Amino acid sequence: MNRTLTYLAMAGIAVVLQTVLLPLVLQGYYKPDLLLILVIYLGLHEEPRRGCLLAYFLGWCYDGVAGSYPGLNGFLLLGVFLAVRGIVTRVNTESSPLLLVLVLAGTILQSALAAFALDFFSQAAGIWPQIAWQLPVQLLLNFIAAFALLRLSVWLQRTFMPRKTLPGLRKLDSRYES
C-alpha cells in the first residue's frame, strides 16, 4: 500500500510538471512524457495485477487533467505496461541502459497505439503522418528526461538514502554519478 501511494504521489508530481510547468519552459507541442517513464518503471518492478490497475488508473487521471479523449491514455499506458511485463522475465531488470532503451521502445509503442486508436475511432484522416512526424522529437525528449531522472534518482539515493535500495537502482555505478 505504501508503494502504491508513493507511485501515486510520483504520478501527481509528473502530471503537474507535464501539464503546468513544462509547457512554460518548452514552447510548442513537444514535452517529455513523464508518466510513460513511470509506467515503464512500474512494468519492470511491480507485480502484474497491481501494476495493470495502477497504469490504467494513471492514464485515466491524466485524461481527466489534460486529455481530450477519455480513456485514451489509460489504454496507451496499459498497453505499454503489458508490453514491458511481457519481456520482464527475459531481461535484467536492474540494468539502467535497459530502462533507457525501454523508454525509446515505449515511446514508439505509445505513438503506434495512439495512432491506431485515434484512426480507428475518429472520422478524421491523416492521424498516422502527424504522429510519425512528431515521433523523432518525442523520442529525443523522452530519452533525455529518462536519463536526467535516472541521474537525479541515483544522486538523491546516494545523498539522502545511502543504505536504502530502490528497485532497479541497486547496482549503482560510476556512469551515473555527478
Side-chain angles (χ1 to χ4, degrees):
M1 186 62 157
N2 194 14
R3 285 170 59 169
T4 303
L5 292 176
T6 303
Y7 288 134
L8 289 175
M10 289 172 36
I13 293 169
V15 166
V16 168
L17 281 172
Q18 198 168 326
T19 58
V20 177
L21 299 176
L22 285 178
L24 297 174
V25 176
L26 300 172
Q27 299 299 321
Y29 177 75
Y30 304 110
K31 59 188 177 298
D33 194 350
L34 302 175
L35 278 180
L36 175 70
I37 297 168
L38 180 63
V39 166
I40 289 172
Y41 182 82
L42 281 172
L44 288 173
H45 300 289
E46 278 303 314
E47 66 177 9
R49 193 174 310 165
R50 180 191 326 190
C52 279
L53 291 173
L54 202 52
Y56 192 63
F57 179 72
L58 293 178
W60 268 96
C61 288
Y62 184 60
D63 279 333
V65 172
S68 54
Y69 299 102
L72 178 63
N73 282 306
F75 167 70
L76 299 178
L77 293 179
L78 182 61
V80 170
F81 176 82
L82 291 174
V84 171
R85 285 303 304 172
I87 66 162
V88 82
T89 59
R90 294 170 182 84
V91 296
N92 176 16
T93 59
E94 299 292 321
S95 172
S96 299
L98 174 70
L99 180 69
L100 297 174
V101 169
L102 284 177
V103 166
L104 294 175
T107 303
I108 294 170
L109 178 63
Q110 184 183 32
S111 297
L113 286 173
F116 168 75
L118 291 174
D119 193 36
F120 188 77
F121 291 113
S122 83
Q123 301 298 326
I127 298 293
W128 288 93
Q130 288 176 351
I131 290 180
W133 182 257
Q134 297 169 356
L135 186 60
V137 176
Q138 192 65 44
L139 280 168
L140 181 65
L141 285 174
N142 285 353
F143 183 81
I144 291 170
F147 185 75
L149 287 173
L150 185 62
R151 288 184 60 108
L152 178 68
S153 64
V154 169
W155 178 79
L156 288 172
Q157 181 183 2
R158 285 187 187 266
T159 304
F160 298 110
M161 304 178 299
R163 290 181 179 79
K164 294 271 187 183
T165 58
L166 297 175
L169 299 174
R170 291 189 193 114
K171 294 181 182 177
L172 298 177
D173 54 40
S174 61
R175 290 182 294 163
Y176 298 105
E177 290 183 14
S178 301

